[in-house]
Amino acid sequence: MTGSTGIAPSLVDRAKARFAEQFGDDPAPRVAVAPGRVNLIGEHTDYNDGFVLPMAIGRAAVVVFRPRDDRTLRGHSVAFDETRSLDLDELSAPGGNDWLSYVAGVAWAFETEGLPARGLDVVVDGDVPIGAGLSSSAALELATARALAAAGELEWDPVRMAKLGQKAENQYVGMNCGIMDQFASAVSQAGSAVLLDCRSLETRPVPVPEGAAVVVMDTGARRSLAGSAYNDRRAACERVVAYLATLDPSVSALRDVTPQLLERGKDALDATDLKRARHVVPENTRPLKMAEALKAGDLPAAGRLMNDSHYSLRDLYEVSCEELDLITEIAREQPSCYGARMTGAGFGGCAVALVRADAADSFCATVGSAYKAKIDLPAELFPCRPMAGARLLD
């Protein structure tokens, strides 16, 4: 059950209660939240300078915080039931990759960009599933950034803060993520997805019609192969670009490649590399087309684009898996479903479906039951409406 903010009140209450237990409640702490995200369409286009269409969801990271008078960052994780502290003057990259490192990494990124990071007492909680491709790490980074900005009485600039969150993850934690996750968590507006140009970083809100629900379908399968597969596919894209740039010097990424140019170069390209590019080039147009379909209220057209994206990811990019294929197939069989696709890096994690809003609960129950009858994993399905980005609740 979510409140008017889109965040579960019980989650916020739990984090505040834990803060009182750990650090006392006088003076009263403040609360920063930032949502996870699901990518509606535009998969593996971000590192090809393309377009993506993510949407903030009603699952979030919560940071309850109170400024300190020294340079100590003292944090408690509800999930790990652990309290730790560190000195902000001793932060250096690379750091670690545990829960506190995501918090510390944002403080480090603030300092490297000339923004003062105050000492804080913080309690970290959240309900974004970890390892499901819903950006739990970006949510924690942006909630931390919101807390640090408020504690330091700094202007909240969502675009700058998204970049700082990415810097923390890339350089401090050591995960080479793109910018999409942090942007979605920072700049999203309630009621709208975000069309992001990963080259220019320009964004525009894309309202999701009231009659539609986005259903996140967590398969319960975690992405054991995603890291190496991601690197292989990224390298394939770079090889295609390197060759096609000899045919057209204006090409610097697959964003610049037309289907016609790709066909011109096909005989000189490795067959597997060509398959990868044959996914990315059409996929890069799908976020733009889906944005127009949603704007027009044409949900069947939006759904067809999602289906096409899944088939392309399955057959050309080859990053789907049995669980993702099964849950999207069951979803498409439901009369209330316009379309469904895997989302994220692949090889597990989540799929996403566009569904009639009035049938979302029954859709979740039917698809979840049919999936669990065939796959013995802790799957979870939940409907979403687009939520606002990182913010203070008080």
Side-chain angles (χ1 to χ4, degrees), residues 59 127 129 216-220 327 350 372 377-382:
R59 299 290 184 96
D127 60 358
V216 174
M217 305 185 292
D218 184 353
T219 64
I327 207 164
C350 287
K372 290 176 183 178
L377 286 173
E380 181 186 13
L381 287 79
F382 53 93

Side-chain angles (χ1 to χ4, degrees), residues 18-84:
R18 188 65 65 90
F19 190 96
E21 291 174 9
Q22 295 292 318
F23 307 126
D25 56 7
D26 186 26
R30 302 180 74 185
V31 181
V33 299
R37 68 97 188 99
V38 64
N39 190 26
L40 298 181
I41 205 161
E43 217 62 74
H44 293 277
T45 53
D46 56 344
Y47 53 84
N48 288 294
D49 279 1
F51 294 92
V52 291
L53 188 63
M55 186 189 95
I57 62 175
R59 299 290 184 96
V62 175
V63 172
V64 182
F65 67 98
R66 185 169 60 210
R68 296 173 58 94
D69 293 328
D70 58 17
R71 296 278 290 165
T72 298
L73 176 64
R74 184 169 59 160
H76 176 84
S77 166
V78 174
F80 294 97
D81 194 20
E82 178 182 55
T83 302
R84 293 166 53 196

Side-chain angles (χ1 to χ4, degrees), residues 49-135:
D49 279 1
F51 294 92
V52 291
L53 188 63
M55 186 189 95
I57 62 175
R59 299 290 184 96
V62 175
V63 172
V64 182
F65 67 98
R66 185 169 60 210
R68 296 173 58 94
D69 293 328
D70 58 17
R71 296 278 290 165
T72 298
L73 176 64
R74 184 169 59 160
H76 176 84
S77 166
V78 174
F80 294 97
D81 194 20
E82 178 182 55
T83 302
R84 293 166 53 196
S85 63
L86 49 81
D87 187 334
L88 292 176
D89 290 325
E90 296 179 357
L91 298 180
S92 61
N97 61 1
D98 55 40
W99 67 269
L100 187 59
S101 294
Y102 287 93
V103 177
V106 176
W108 168 85
F110 267 53
E111 298 268 312
T112 63
E113 296 292 329
L115 298 176
R118 283 192 66 174
L120 295 176
D121 287 334
V122 299
V123 163
V124 172
D125 203 353
D127 60 358
V128 184
I130 296 173
L134 298 176
S135 300

Side-chain angles (χ1 to χ4, degrees), residues 205-343:
V206 178
V208 176
E210 288 291 337
V214 171
V215 175
V216 174
M217 305 185 292
D218 184 353
T219 64
R222 291 301 175 250
R223 302 169 296 160
S224 59
L225 299 176
S228 59
Y230 175 94
N231 292 336
D232 289 345
R233 280 145 184 81
R234 189 162 185 162
C237 294
E238 291 168 355
R239 288 190 294 268
V240 172
V241 167
Y243 174 70
L244 294 180
T246 67
L247 304 182
D248 182 346
S250 70
V251 170
S252 63
L254 282 181
R255 156 75 170 267
D256 306 311
V257 175
T258 64
Q260 293 77 18
L261 179 60
L262 185 57
E263 290 306 300
R264 272 181 60 198
K266 67 179 181 180
D267 292 338
L269 293 170
D270 173 82
T272 299
D273 290 356
L274 179 62
K275 284 179 70 174
R276 307 304 183 231
R278 281 178 167 164
H279 161 71
V280 174
V281 172
E283 180 75 359
N284 192 48
T285 69
R286 291 184 181 118
L288 296 167
K289 292 176 180 176
M290 187 165 176
E292 290 305 309
L294 292 174
K295 180 180 178 181
D298 191 346
L299 298 177
R304 287 192 294 271
L305 289 163
M306 295 174 73
N307 293 340
D308 290 345
S309 175
H310 183 83
Y311 302 142
S312 179
L313 287 158
R314 181 192 66 192
D315 300 335
L316 297 175
Y317 225 60
E318 297 180 292
V319 291
S320 191
C321 63
E322 177 188 3
E323 295 86 356
L324 289 166
D325 289 342
L326 176 62
I327 207 164
T328 55
E329 180 181 335
I330 296 170
R332 290 186 210 101
E333 292 172 351
Q334 310 310 311
S336 59
C337 180
Y338 298 106
R341 60 182 289 275
M342 60 154 281
T343 186

Side-chain angles (χ1 to χ4, degrees), residues 38-41 51-56 180 183-189 192-197 202-208 287 291 386-387:
V38 64
N39 190 26
L40 298 181
I41 205 161
F51 294 92
V52 291
L53 188 63
M55 186 189 95
M180 172 176 64
F183 252 74
S185 192
V187 311
S188 290
Q189 300 177 15
S192 294
V194 179
L195 182 64
L196 169 64
D197 181 335
E202 294 178 353
T203 63
R204 68 176 169 92
V206 178
V208 176
M387 296 300 164

